[in-house]
């Protein structure tokens, strides 16, 4: 039987991840289909009721991938309860009579280079360590450049003069980046498209509304899990800052944790697990950088974020900054989200207008 590798969908990150797996394994790689309502229905059907929503999305993705012919499944691993999901998901899928091999990239919450190399060596006996390192570095640059462009787009997409101009240019950039195998060429493509992004015409007012999107990492990075919350904010002509991305999780967070703990010492004496501490710190950041509001997103049943919620609420109250909480599950109504967003928009708009009048 032909080996076909697959993995759960996560925003646009399937592009560099699929390329990484192809280069390291020399096997066919088919990412799981983009997440739809069917995905969460499949995951919810076979998952335990008490697990958080990312488990259900991932499980649904695995079932879709296996139905499309996948024989090898990958999961990142690490983090909060996510570190235990691989074994449970594998057991569920085996009980459903699927035949496959399951690999977890991260063990004990840390990437161990030699362990990861030997894992890929098992799939590709001809893999050389030098090629492995080059591919990892290449992928890190790919992800970093993606995230840098996305950060710029979030700040400006709500004010584009030509509809879909940012999205179309981003798709073109990803296609070009996917075609090259060299870091130098990748960097050249990034700088070229960065210039193009900055030349796209925008009609951005001086006192635009700014919202910081904080919360659990999966709902931050997978658009469908929040029913495309950022797109809705952009339609309201809001500047968006989202803190969590793969660049942050893979290498930036480790260097920032002690700093965030120091800055948040009034509210936290220790880390809260996953992104709990990070989100407390981000409330203080939002206050310092004059954001008009904060939106906190989490999946239903996310233990670290549940523990962080009262602290985040206290910090937002002390900072006198409005905050809106969303908890997503397979029963969440898209219309309900839009209604709450519209009410929150009215609140921060009127509040900003009142503050601007005071300053005159």
């Amino acid at each position: 039987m032909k080996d076909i590798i697959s993995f759960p969908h996560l925003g646009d990150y399937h592009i560099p991840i699929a390329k990484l797996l192809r280069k390291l394994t020399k096997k066919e790689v088919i990412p799981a289909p983009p997440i739809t309502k069917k995905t969460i229905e499949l995951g919810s059907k076979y998952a335990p009721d008490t697990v958080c929503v990312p488990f259900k999305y991932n499980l649904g993705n695995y079932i879709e991938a296996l139905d499309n012919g996948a024989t090898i499944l990958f999961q990142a691993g690490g983090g909060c309860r996510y570190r235990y999901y691989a074994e449970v998901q594998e057991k569920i899928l085996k009980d459903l009579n699927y035949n496959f091999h399951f690999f977890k990239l991260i063990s004990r919450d840390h990437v161990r280079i030699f362990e990861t190399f030997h894992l890929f060596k098992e799939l590709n006996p001809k893999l050389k360590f030098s090629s492995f390192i080059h591919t990892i570095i290449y992928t890190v640059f790919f992800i970093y450049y993606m995230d840098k462009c996305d950060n710029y787009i979030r700040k400006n997409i709500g004010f584009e003069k030509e509809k879909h101009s940012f999205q179309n240019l981003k798709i073109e950039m990803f296609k070009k980046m996917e075609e090259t195998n060299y870091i130098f060429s990748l960097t050249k493509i990034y700088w070229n498209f960065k210039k193009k992004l900055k030349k796209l015409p925008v009609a951005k007012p001086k006192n635009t509304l700014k919202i910081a999107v904080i919360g659990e990492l999966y709902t931050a990075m997978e658009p469908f899990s929040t029913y495309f919350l950022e797109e809705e904010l952009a339609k309201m002509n809001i500047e968006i800052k989202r803190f969590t991305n793969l660049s942050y999780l893979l290498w930036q967070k480790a260097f920032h944790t002690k700093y965030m703990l120091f800055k948040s010492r009034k509210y936290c004496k220790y880390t809260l697990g996953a992104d709990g501490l990070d989100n407390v710190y981000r409330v203080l950041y939002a206050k310092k950088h004059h954001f008009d509001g904060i939106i906190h997103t989490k999946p239903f049943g996310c233990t670290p974020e549940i523990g962080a919620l009262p602290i985040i609420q206290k910090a937002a109250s002390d900072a006198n900054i409005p905050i809106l909480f969303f908890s997503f599950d397979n029963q969440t109504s898209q219309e309900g989200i839009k209604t709450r967003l519209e009410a929150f928009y009215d609140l921060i708009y009127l509040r900003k207008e009142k503050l601007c009048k005071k300053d005159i």
Side-chain angles (χ1 to χ4, degrees), residues 52-63:
C52 63
V53 175
F55 181 104
K56 297 173 183 179
Y57 276 116
N58 283 180
L59 184 63
N61 259 170
Y62 284 138
I63 292 171

Side-chain angles (χ1 to χ4, degrees), residues 308-340:
L309 281 182
I311 309 171
I312 292 169
Q313 203 158 22
K314 169 65 175 166
S317 176
D318 290 348
N320 192 27
I321 184 167
I323 186 165
L324 176 63
F325 293 99
F326 281 112
S327 185
F328 297 93
D329 62 18
N330 53 310
Q331 301 298 323
T332 301
S333 161
Q334 192 166 6
E335 290 306 313
I337 293 166
K338 287 183 180 179
T339 302
R340 292 183 66 199

Side-chain angles (χ1 to χ4, degrees), residues 233-272:
L233 291 173
K235 288 175 187 176
M236 296 176 180
N237 306 120
I238 292 172
E239 181 181 314
I240 307 158
K241 180 172 179 62
R242 193 238 287 165
F243 297 82
T244 300
N245 52 36
L246 271 190
S247 297
Y248 176 76
L249 293 172
L250 290 175
W251 63 86
Q252 295 171 5
K253 178 172 177 154
F255 296 103
H256 289 175
T257 301
K258 287 185 178 179
Y259 175 77
M260 290 188 296
L261 192 57
F262 173 75
K263 286 291 185 179
S264 310
R265 62 193 182 278
K266 179 181 175 182
Y267 303 98
C268 300
K269 293 184 179 179
Y270 47 82
T271 59
L272 304 170

Side-chain angles (χ1 to χ4, degrees), residues 71-83:
T71 59
I72 298 170
L73 301 179
F74 271 88
Q75 195 210 72
C80 51
R81 287 189 296 175
Y82 185 56
R83 66 169 68 92

Side-chain angles (χ1 to χ4, degrees), residues 209-215 229 233 238-243 282-283 285-287 291-297 321-324 344 348:
L209 289 171
K210 293 166 60 181
I211 283 183
V213 177
I214 67 173
L229 176 81
L233 291 173
I238 292 172
E239 181 181 314
I240 307 158
K241 180 172 179 62
R242 193 238 287 165
F243 297 82
R282 289 161 183 168
V283 173
Y285 177 97
K287 171 64 176 178
F291 279 79
D292 300 292
I294 299 170
I295 293 178
H296 179 278
T297 66
I321 184 167
I323 186 165
L324 176 63
F344 189 65
I348 62 174

